[in-house]
Amino acid sequence: MPSVKVLEAKKAEVAAIADRLQNACAGVIVDYRGINVADDTVLRKELREAGVEYTVTKNTMIGLAIKGTDLEGLSECLEGTTALATSTDDYVAAARILSKFASTHENFKVKSGFLDNEVISLDKIDSLAKLPSREILLATVCNAFNAPISAFARAVQAIVDKSGEATAEAAAE
């Protein structure tokens, strides 16, 4: 029988995982088998810079944290080596970075994921991974809003230029 101290530490770990999952807008569970330390370091750095929390976690701890929640469907993928990546504000960062990494590393596999406390399929994770970053999406939206205004400004400027040419020709005559 484990000591009371060990049990309290495990309860605290389960509570921390449950809180992390509850506060995350998106997350991905991966099988990190077969990557070396150098690749793992590069991956962790990229995830950290994107604001994604990535930790290797015991399947039992995740299972206890999701028990009785909307994320209970994740328990199907809790076998083998498991790492959990969660993001509190960027819906696509974890999926994009981990899917790109999985495409270049044979044994590294995306197992499952969630979005707004709902388990999603691997197809949806792939779709999320193909979306551009938030900054690029915002720039695209701004350009779409800016295009009609720019076209109007060019048309007005063309009218001004044309009337200026006509006035100059009239003055020359």
Side-chain angles (χ1 to χ4, degrees), residues 33-83:
R33 189 177 354 177
I35 62 171
N36 58 36
V37 173
D39 289 340
D40 189 49
T41 303
V42 170
L43 174 64
R44 285 175 184 267
K45 181 178 186 269
E46 187 176 355
L47 288 166
R48 190 172 39 255
E49 288 172 353
V52 177
E53 186 177 350
Y54 177 81
T55 55
V56 172
T57 311
K58 290 185 176 184
N59 293 326
T60 307
M61 298 297 177
I62 296 174
L64 290 171
I66 62 176
K67 191 173 187 176
T69 68
D70 293 338
L71 298 177
E72 201 163 4
L74 293 173
S75 61
E76 298 171 4
C77 71
L78 297 179
E79 296 176 355
T81 58
T82 302

Side-chain angles (χ1 to χ4, degrees), residues 80-168:
T81 58
T82 302
L84 175 64
T86 57
S87 176
T88 57
D89 59 350
D90 191 343
Y91 284 89
V92 298
R96 185 179 64 249
I97 294 167
L98 293 170
S99 292
K100 182 180 77 171
F101 191 82
S103 69
T104 59
H105 294 79
E106 184 179 330
N107 293 329
F108 190 91
K109 303 280 186 240
V110 174
K111 292 181 178 182
S112 187
F114 65 92
L115 199 61
D116 287 332
N117 288 323
E118 181 181 327
V119 178
I120 58 175
S121 67
L122 289 176
D123 292 336
K124 285 187 182 178
I125 293 172
D126 289 338
S127 297
L128 280 175
K130 292 175 184 172
L131 286 175
S133 69
R134 181 176 188 268
E135 291 78 20
I136 293 173
L137 285 173
L138 288 174
T140 305
V141 168
C142 288
N143 285 337
F145 284 134
N146 196 24
I149 296 168
S150 297
F152 178 72
R154 284 191 294 276
V156 168
Q157 187 62 43
I159 292 169
V160 169
D161 291 345
K162 191 171 187 179
S163 67
E165 290 173 6
T167 306

